[in-house]
Amino acid sequence: MSDPLVVRCPPAEAAWILHPPVDPWGDGYVAAMPVELHDEGLSARGEVKLSWPTQAEEPDLVAFLQGLADDWRGWDGERGWRSLDGKLRITARHDGKGHVSLGGALRGHSLSPDAWLARVFITVEAGEQLSSLVAELRSHLRVLPT
C-alpha cells in the first residue's frame, strides 16, 4: 500500500491528507478514499467515494485540478468539484496574482444539513506548484488496489 498524499502550503499549518483509494466492492467503478483535513486545532476525517473511470480516462478529481493548472493565468469566479457521494467538495478561486485558493470541505457521515462540516483552505502557486500537485495526485490515484 502506498503512503498518503499530503497537500500543504508551508508555513501554514493547513493540510489535506488523501489516503490511497481502495475498491470496496471489487467492481472497478467506485473507489473509497479516506480523507483528513487539518488546520489550527481542527482535525476531520471521513471516507469519500470517487467514481473510477476506465483505463483510458483519468479520475475526475485529477481532471478538475488539471483544468485549473491549464488555466494558470486565471479565471473569474469559483470552480468546484465534488466526490461521488458529495462528502468532499473542493472549490478553487484564482486571485489574479498567480495564486489559487483551494477550499476542501469534508462533510460527516450524513448528508443532512445538520451534519458536521470541516473546511480547510490551502493556497498554491498557480504555475509549477499546482502542476506538481496534479502530477502527485495522478501518480497517487494511478493504481487502484483491490
Side-chain angles (χ1 to χ4, degrees):
M1 177 152 312
S2 65
D3 293 329
L5 174 61
V6 179
V7 182
R8 68 175 67 224
C9 185
E13 293 183 32
W16 301 352
I17 301 174
L18 308 176
H19 292 272
V22 296
D23 185 347
W25 299 287
D27 64 4
Y29 293 104
V30 175
M33 182 174 66
V35 174
E36 298 176 46
L37 301 181
H38 299 280
D39 205 349
E40 297 175 27
L42 171 76
S43 285
R45 182 179 174 102
E47 184 177 87
V48 301
K49 302 294 187 281
L50 305 172
S51 80
W52 208 256
T54 65
Q55 291 184 0
E57 301 171 10
E58 292 186 308
D60 59 352
L61 177 55
V62 174
F64 169 71
L65 290 173
Q66 182 64 60
L68 301 179
D70 290 346
D71 292 338
W72 62 272
R73 287 186 178 96
W75 61 85
D76 292 328
E78 184 175 88
R79 293 184 181 179
W81 172 89
R82 70 175 183 84
S83 62
L84 187 61
D85 57 7
K87 291 182 182 176
L88 178 63
R89 178 162 166 74
I90 297 176
T91 57
R93 287 190 168 272
H94 196 289
D95 69 359
K97 299 175 187 172
H99 294 91
V100 176
S101 176
L102 298 170
L106 184 62
R107 187 175 292 278
H109 298 291
S110 169
L111 293 180
S112 69
D114 58 346
W116 62 262
L117 177 70
R119 188 172 219 179
V120 172
F121 288 89
I122 294 175
T123 301
V124 296
E125 183 264 328
E128 189 59 37
Q129 195 175 25
L130 185 54
S131 293
S132 293
L133 173 59
V134 172
E136 289 174 19
L137 185 63
R138 184 175 281 124
S139 177
H140 185 68
L141 298 179
R142 179 166 286 135
V143 178
L144 179 63
T146 55

